[in-house]
Amino acid sequence: MTRAYDVVIAGGGAAGLFAAIFAGRRGRRVAVLDHAEKVGSKILISGGGRCNFTNLDTKPDRFLSQNPSFCISALKRYTQHDFIALVDRHGIQWHEKKLGQLFCDGSAKEIVAMLVAECGDAGVDIFTQCRVDKVSANEGGGYSVATSLGDFSAASFILATGGPSIPKMGATDFAFRLARQFGLNLVEPRPALVPFTFADRDLNKLRDLSGVPLEASVACNKGKFREALLITHRGLSGPSILQISSYWRDGQEVSIDLSPDRPLAEHLKGLKRTRPKAELRTILGEILARRFAERLFETDLIGPQPLTTRPMADMKDADLVAIAQALHAWRVTPNGTEGYRTAEVTLGGVDTAELSSKTMEAKKLPGFYVIGEAVDVTGWLGGYNFQWAWSSGHAAGMAA
Ligand SMILES: Cc1cc2nc3c(=O)[nH]c(=O)nc-3n(C[C@H](O)[C@H](O)[C@H](O)COP(=O)(O)OP(=O)(O)OC[C@H]3O[C@@H](n4cnc5c(N)ncnc54)[C@H](O)[C@@H]3O)c2cc1C
C-alpha cells in the first residue's frame, strides 16, 4: 500500500518540522519521515540542552556559502523576530546569553514540544523510526519515497535530512547521496564548528594544559572572532576556534591574538616603569592564564626560543615589544580537525546555484526542495544555524 500525501518531508529535524508546519497550515496533507526514535534529536542536544534557537543579530554576513547572497530572501521572509514571536506564543521563557544568542531558560525539549504541537495543529503526520531508503521521480510528476515503513508518494518532496555531523545522533549523508542521484551539484561538504587537532610535536607543548581557557581573537582567511579559546588534550577548542574552523583550510596557519583588548607593548613598557622589580614571568602570568604563561618560559611556544625570566627593569624595550608582537600573533598550524564526530555542522552541501532562493525548489526538478543544513549555507556559532533551518523550512513550506 502506498500512502499518498501532497508533501513528503525526509527528516524531522529543525528544518523539516518547520517546513511541515507551514505546508500543513496551507491545507497541504503533509508527512514527515525520520529514522530516529524521536524527531528533533539535534535540537534536544543543542546549546548544552537549552537550545540556542536564534540570534538577535541574524543577518546574511553571518553565513558562509559559495553564494553569500542566497540566504537573504529566506532570512528576510522569516526572521529571528518571527521565531521569537512563535516561542513567546508558546510561553517558552528565554534569555540572551551573550552576543545576541537566545537560549531557553528551561530546556530544549520545549522547542521540540512546540514544533510537534504546531505540526499537530497543522494536521501533519509524523512517522518516526521510518528510514527513507530511496526516492524516485514519477513519470508525469511527483515523487515516490521508499522507506522502512513502506512506500509514500507526493506531488512535492522536501529533502531535510541535514548533514553528517555527529553520526551517533542519527546524522547521515543521505541528503548528499540523494542530491547526487538527482544530478544536483554539491559544494564539497566538510566538518565545521569543530575543534582543531595538533601534531604531536606541537601538542607536546600544550597537552598537559588541557582545560586552560584563554581570552583571544582568532583570525584565518576572512574570519576573525573575539571569543574564548580552550586548550584540549588534542589541540584547541572553545567558541573562537569553532568559529574560525569554518574559515580554515587544510595546512593553513591560524593567528591568535592573546591580548585582544589591550595593546601589549605599551602596557609592558608602562609596567617596566611602575613595577620594575616584578619578574616578566609574574607579569605575563597576570595577563594570560598563569599556567600558559609559564609554558612560554619552558618551550618555544610563541617564538624561536623560550622567554628568559628577568625583572622588568632589566628588560630592553625592544624585547618587550617583540614579546608583545608574538603574543598578539601566536601562529599555530593545526594538522586537522576532530571531524564529523564532534562537528556542530557541515559546511558545503547542495549547491545554491541549483535552488530557488525564494522557495528552495530545485530549478531543474519541479516539486523537489532542499532545506536546512543539507544546503550550502552554514551559519556562525550562536543560533544562526537554527535560524537558517527555520527560514529555509518556512520558504519551502510556503511553496511546496
Ligand atoms: C551538538 C550540537 C549542538 C548544536 N547547537 C546548536 C545551537 O545551539 N544553535 C544552532 O543554531 N545550531 C546548533 N547546532 C546545529 C543545528 O543542530 C543544525 O544546524 C540543525 O539541526 C540543522 O537542521 P536540519 O533540520 O537541517 O538537520 P537535522 O536537525 O540534522 O535533522 C535531520 C533529520 O534527518 C534525519 N535523517 C537523516 N537521514 C535520514 C534518513 N535516511 N531517513 C529518515 N530520516 C533521516 C535525522 O534523524 C534528523 O532528525 C548544533 C549541532 C550540534 C551537533
Side-chain angles (χ1 to χ4, degrees):
M1 188 193 78
T2 298
R3 298 178 176 96
Y5 284 88
D6 296 320
V7 183
V8 164
I9 302 176
L17 292 172
F18 222 58
I21 292 165
F22 287 94
R25 283 189 196 169
R26 288 172 44 242
R28 307 284 278 157
R29 285 171 303 128
V30 183
V32 174
L33 320 178
D34 200 295
H35 67 167
E37 270 177 37
K38 287 185 271 190
V39 289
S41 44
K42 268 195 192 162
I43 301 173
L44 293 174
I45 58 160
S46 68
R50 291 226 163 114
C51 186
N52 178 193
F53 55 79
T54 191
N55 194 298
L56 286 175
D57 302 325
T58 300
K59 46 189 169 184
D61 69 0
R62 307 297 156 99
F63 295 85
L64 288 89
S65 171
Q66 270 196 355
N67 175 3
S69 311
F70 180 82
C71 61
I72 294 174
S73 169
L75 291 174
K76 216 187 251 177
R77 289 169 69 221
Y78 194 89
T79 69
Q80 62 273 38
H81 306 293
D82 293 323
F83 194 78
I84 294 165
L86 178 66
V87 164
D88 286 344
R89 272 207 305 285
H90 282 259
I92 298 172
Q93 303 292 310
W94 53 267
H95 61 279
E96 179 183 348
K97 197 167 172 193
K98 57 172 182 171
L99 303 171
Q101 302 167 5
L102 305 191
F103 286 74
C104 298
D105 287 357
S107 155
K109 284 183 193 158
E110 295 171 84
I111 298 291
V112 176
M114 173 186 85
L115 297 172
V116 170
E118 287 284 334
C119 279
D121 290 347
V124 173
D125 290 339
I126 295 177
F127 296 83
T128 51
Q129 295 182 300
C130 176
R131 192 187 59 247
V132 177
D133 291 325
K134 202 172 153 222
V135 181
S136 43
N138 300 331
E139 273 181 30
Y143 294 86
S144 296
V145 182
T147 80
S148 52
L149 293 184
D151 293 340
F152 291 76
S153 73
S156 298
F157 173 77
I158 302 182
L159 181 55
T161 53
S165 52
I166 321 256
K168 76 166 191 264
M169 297 301 306
T172 68
D173 66 351
F174 180 78
F176 303 150
R177 281 186 278 125
L178 194 69
R180 268 194 213 103
Q181 177 202 313
F182 277 94
L184 299 178
N185 190 43
L186 287 187
V187 174
E188 197 193 341
R190 58 189 186 84
L193 299 183
V194 62
F196 284 141
T197 56
F198 284 174
D200 277 347
R201 175 174 36 88
D202 300 320
L203 200 54
N204 289 340
K205 298 172 199 162
L206 285 173
R207 203 188 318 250
D208 61 318
L209 300 183
S210 172
V212 170
L214 296 165
E215 282 305 316
S217 169
V218 181
C220 184
N221 295 319
K222 288 187 184 151
K224 188 170 181 188
F225 295 92
R226 163 71 184 89
E227 285 191 71
L229 173 157
L230 188 72
I231 298 171
T232 72
H233 64 286
R234 302 187 66 196
L236 293 178
S237 186
S240 62
I241 294 296
L242 299 184
Q243 297 278 33
I244 210 67
S245 71
S246 300
Y247 291 81
W248 178 81
R249 293 287 179 282
D250 272 345
Q252 289 183 334
E253 200 175 70
V254 174
S255 178
I256 302 175
D257 183 345
L258 292 165
S259 178
D261 303 327
R262 179 161 57 187
L264 207 49
E266 290 316 306
H267 184 59
L268 291 178
K269 284 194 273 177
L271 288 171
K272 181 175 157 180
R273 285 193 302 277
T274 54
R275 294 171 65 190
K277 290 189 183 149
E279 278 195 12
L280 176 63
R281 182 196 290 257
T282 311
I283 297 287
L284 291 185
E286 290 165 7
I287 295 170
L288 309 164
R290 187 182 50 78
R291 286 174 63 204
F292 181 83
E294 278 172 8
R295 194 54 46 92
L296 307 180
F297 295 85
E298 298 157 4
T299 68
D300 59 352
L301 200 57
I302 60 158
Q305 282 163 9
L307 301 181
T308 53
T309 180
R310 282 190 254 144
M312 292 299 279
D314 294 351
M315 297 293 301
K316 288 189 199 137
D317 279 0
D319 290 340
L320 291 178
V321 169
I323 291 166
Q325 282 170 347
L327 289 171
H328 279 305
W330 178 32
R331 294 183 191 286
V332 299
T333 306
N335 76 340
T337 72
E338 290 189 5
Y340 287 122
R341 190 178 59 82
T342 62
E344 280 202 13
V345 286
T346 304
L347 205 71
V350 174
D351 190 341
T352 57
E354 300 279 11
L355 306 175
S356 151
S357 61
K358 203 165 165 222
T359 63
M360 305 292 136
E361 187 174 21
K363 291 173 186 166
K364 58 190 177 206
L365 297 169
F368 189 106
Y369 299 77
V370 190
I371 57 174
E373 200 175 314
V375 180
D376 172 35
V377 173
T378 306
W380 287 0
L381 187 77
Y384 297 104
N385 285 296
F386 278 136
Q387 186 58 46
W388 172 246
W390 316 136
S391 297
S392 61
H394 168 265
M398 292 304 285

